[in-house]
Amino acid sequence: MSNVPDDLRYTKEHEWVRLDDSGVATCGITDHAQSILEEIVFVELPESHRQVQQRDHIAVIESEKSVLDVQAPVSGKIIEINAALEETPELINDDPYGEGWLFRIALKGKGKAGNLLDA
């Protein structure tokens, strides 16, 4: 069974969001999604400072088995990407809710976070 932390919010497409008190959302893909992909070999991350709308396709994760288009789970501005994934994309497999995070978004208003799912 997949690991599903109860302090995060989720999309139906298996992205997760960790909201902090300052309105910043750290985002990644779930343990379930990484297990389906299996061995991740490449990650294309969004550009920093890009404005995104919820459900925009903004990143790509490739494995030896398949490709996953990652959607923005919330609306706002990309303020940071996990540059470590460029050299070590397997961090997503090893620690999808920690070191394998993908990007951080400063929410625009509430960023539509209210329609995310709980664990």
Side-chain angles (χ1 to χ4, degrees):
M1 178 146 194
S2 294
N3 178 18
V4 184
D6 60 6
D7 64 326
L8 303 178
R9 304 293 301 266
Y10 301 90
T11 69
K12 292 178 183 176
E13 292 77 25
H14 295 282
E15 291 103 5
W16 60 261
V17 175
R18 179 178 292 116
L19 296 167
D20 70 18
D21 293 336
S22 67
V24 172
T26 300
C27 308
I29 65 167
T30 64
D31 185 44
H32 177 75
Q34 72 76 25
S35 69
I36 290 172
L37 286 169
E38 295 180 0
E39 188 177 336
I40 294 171
V41 296
F42 178 76
V43 179
E44 181 182 320
L45 295 169
E47 293 179 23
S48 250
H49 308 296
R50 177 179 164 191
Q51 292 286 341
V52 297
Q53 295 298 314
Q54 188 177 46
R55 296 191 183 93
D56 283 353
H57 291 270
I58 62 170
V60 177
I61 299 174
E62 293 182 18
S63 71
E64 292 183 356
K65 187 176 175 180
S66 64
V67 175
L68 173 69
D69 286 324
V70 178
Q71 297 180 11
V74 292
S75 298
K77 182 179 182 178
I78 303 284
I79 58 169
E80 186 178 0
I81 60 167
N82 187 351
L85 297 177
E86 293 171 0
E87 295 293 322
T88 318
E90 63 272 15
L91 286 172
I92 298 169
N93 293 122
D94 297 339
D95 190 11
Y97 301 113
E99 295 296 315
W101 63 275
L102 300 176
F103 46 82
R104 292 193 169 109
I105 298 175
L107 296 184
K108 179 181 176 182
K110 293 188 179 181
K112 301 183 183 176
N115 63 5
L116 296 172
L117 307 170
D118 60 23

